[in-house]
């Protein structure tokens, strides 16, 4: 490997975790309005293993390189970039849903798809924040318009999106209810949940009745239709897994809809502001080296992780 190549995890063929392959690839070059980032850490998200298994949105490069969340240091700026200089620490989820290639030592992307890395976070923690944090922010704040005093129900509250959504909702002054297994309740209370329901032992519909203003559903299946029963008239249900899983909710003035996260420097800076205020911090349960990306996928697909899984690409 020399100065023109880099280590990256490629997907020669769609399939199981064993298809993930460590390879040497040409180092990308930033184009106009782009920056080249030396990646220190890359977040792992469900979209990564779904893409690996099926090809995902079909918007991959050649060869396919997974990963959207990155935190690192600006190595080079392209023509027209004034926001950053080489040496600046940044984090972001460039290009989503197109290929960002985060499972690699270097990535390029539009400068405005990144934000300055919060000084309060390590690169490992910062890499856990962009996609899941922006998903929660855009769903709760921008789509649902969550305000102080409202009651919000967050499903899979200890997961990657969920544990950040709990903190964002709490910071906005909402009454936060989460669903999670009992051994995760203590963590959620620490993060700001006012009430936690063990979905394996109690029906959240029975527990809550029609008392909720906003529901964030990252589970899918029957959770969407069942969640309609806990919404007050005029409430909002935001569905994350698929537009095919959005239940009809026009009666009683209930709004329902699917949201897909978008790169957004303004939203990233809002998340960084919450971090600086001590109101938001990603929980990283597992850190693995880049070459163990397959193990990270196996762990994530098991569906029992609290918070996030992150790949360490380089030390520091």
């Amino acid at each position: 490997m020399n100065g023109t190549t880099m280590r990256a995890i490629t997907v020669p063929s769609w399939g199981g975790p064993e298809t993930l392959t460590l390879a040497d690839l040409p180092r990308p070059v930033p184009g106009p309005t782009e920056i080249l980032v030396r990646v220190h850490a890359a977040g792992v998200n469900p979209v990564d293993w779904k893409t690996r298994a099926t090809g995902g949105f079909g918007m991959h490069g050649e060869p396919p390189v997974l990963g959207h969340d990155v935190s690192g240091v600006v190595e080079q700026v392209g023509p027209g970039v004034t926001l950053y200089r080489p040496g600046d620490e940044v984090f972001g989820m460039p290009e989503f849903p197109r290929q960002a290639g985060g499972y690699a030592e270097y990535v390029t992307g539009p400068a405005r798809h990144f934000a300055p890395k919060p000084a309060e976070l390590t690169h490992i923690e910062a890499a856990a924040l962009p996609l899941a944090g922006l998903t929660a922010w855009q769903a709760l704040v921008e789509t649902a318009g969550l305000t102080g005093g409202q009651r919000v129900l967050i499903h899979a509250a200890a997961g990657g999106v969920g544990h950040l959504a709990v903190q964002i909702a709490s910071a906005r002054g909402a009454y936060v209810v989460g669903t999670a297994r009992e051994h995760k309740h203590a963590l959620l209370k620490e993060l700001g949940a006012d009430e936690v329901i063990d979905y394996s032992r109690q029906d959240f519909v029975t527990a809550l009745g029609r008392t909720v203003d906003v529901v964030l559903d990252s589970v899918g299946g029957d959770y969407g239709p069942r969640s309609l029963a806990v919404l007050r008239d005029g409430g909002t249900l935001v569905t994350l897994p698929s537009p095919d899983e959005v239940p009809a909710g026009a009666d009683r003035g209930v709004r329902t809809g699917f949201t897909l996260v978008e790169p957004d420097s303004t939203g990233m800076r809002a998340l960084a502001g919450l971090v600086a205020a001590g109101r938001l911090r990603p929980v990283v349960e597992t850190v693995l080296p880049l070459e163990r990306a397959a193990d990270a996928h196996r762990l994530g697909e098991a569906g029992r992780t609290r918070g996030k899984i992150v790949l360490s690409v380089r030390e520091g």
Side-chain angles (χ1 to χ4, degrees):
M1 188 170 64
N2 55 47
T4 63
T5 62
M6 65 177 184
R7 294 186 310 146
I9 299 294
T10 66
V11 192
S13 60
W14 309 123
E18 70 280 356
T19 62
L20 297 178
T21 302
L22 184 66
D24 287 347
L25 297 180
R27 197 171 91 173
V29 177
T33 74
E34 292 186 334
I35 59 176
L36 173 69
V37 176
R38 185 169 71 250
V39 178
H40 282 242
V44 178
N45 293 287
V47 68
D48 299 344
W49 56 76
K50 292 175 183 177
T51 299
R52 183 215 71 225
T54 66
F57 294 102
M59 306 176 79
H60 49 79
E62 188 55 49
V65 179
L66 301 179
H68 292 281
D69 283 341
V70 295
S71 181
V73 178
V74 176
E75 181 83 1
Q76 183 182 350
V77 301
V81 174
T82 58
L83 287 178
Y84 303 109
R85 301 176 182 177
D88 288 345
E89 294 187 323
V90 295
F91 73 133
M93 47 162 280
E95 306 287 2
F96 187 86
R98 296 168 181 81
Q99 175 167 304
Y103 293 6
E105 292 183 307
Y106 292 89
V107 300
T108 56
R112 293 181 185 276
H113 286 188
F114 295 86
K117 181 185 78 67
E120 298 82 4
L121 299 183
T122 66
H123 283 294
I124 293 293
E125 292 171 318
L129 186 54
L131 193 148
L134 277 179
T135 297
W137 178 268
Q138 291 171 9
L140 292 177
V141 178
E142 298 177 358
T143 301
L146 183 68
T147 59
Q150 289 187 312
R151 291 171 61 91
V152 58
L153 171 62
I154 298 169
H155 291 304
V161 172
H163 87 285
L164 297 172
V166 166
Q167 295 176 74
I168 291 169
S170 177
R172 294 186 72 79
Y175 182 93
V176 183
V177 183
T179 60
R181 289 186 179 271
E182 188 174 5
H183 67 279
K184 301 176 181 179
H185 288 198
L187 169 65
L188 291 172
K189 290 293 184 68
E190 291 176 10
L191 296 179
D194 297 286
E195 185 178 342
V196 190
I197 297 170
D198 184 348
Y199 62 86
S200 68
R201 298 182 177 182
Q202 188 176 19
D203 179 9
F204 66 85
V205 176
T206 303
L208 295 174
R210 193 174 289 180
T211 62
V212 175
D213 298 290
V214 175
V215 177
L216 180 60
D217 174 24
S218 61
V219 178
D222 69 349
Y223 269 64
R226 290 168 61 205
S227 294
L228 291 177
V230 304
L231 281 169
R232 292 172 171 158
D233 293 355
T236 303
L237 167 64
V238 182
T239 301
L240 300 180
S242 166
D244 298 329
E245 299 191 61
V246 178
D251 62 317
R252 299 192 294 114
V254 170
R255 294 190 302 142
T256 63
F258 166 73
T259 185
L260 184 64
V261 65
E262 302 175 57
D264 176 23
S265 180
T266 300
M268 294 280 295
R269 290 170 186 266
L271 295 176
L274 289 178
V275 171
R279 303 304 302 269
L280 179 67
R281 195 172 192 99
V283 173
V284 178
E285 182 170 79
T286 303
V287 180
L288 294 170
L290 179 65
E291 58 269 23
R292 290 187 60 190
D295 290 333
H297 278 218
R298 292 185 184 98
L299 185 61
E301 286 180 291
R304 292 291 178 262
T305 301
R306 298 190 310 169
K308 295 297 296 291
I309 303 167
V310 174
L311 297 175
S312 176
V313 180
R314 59 168 43 84
E315 294 183 3

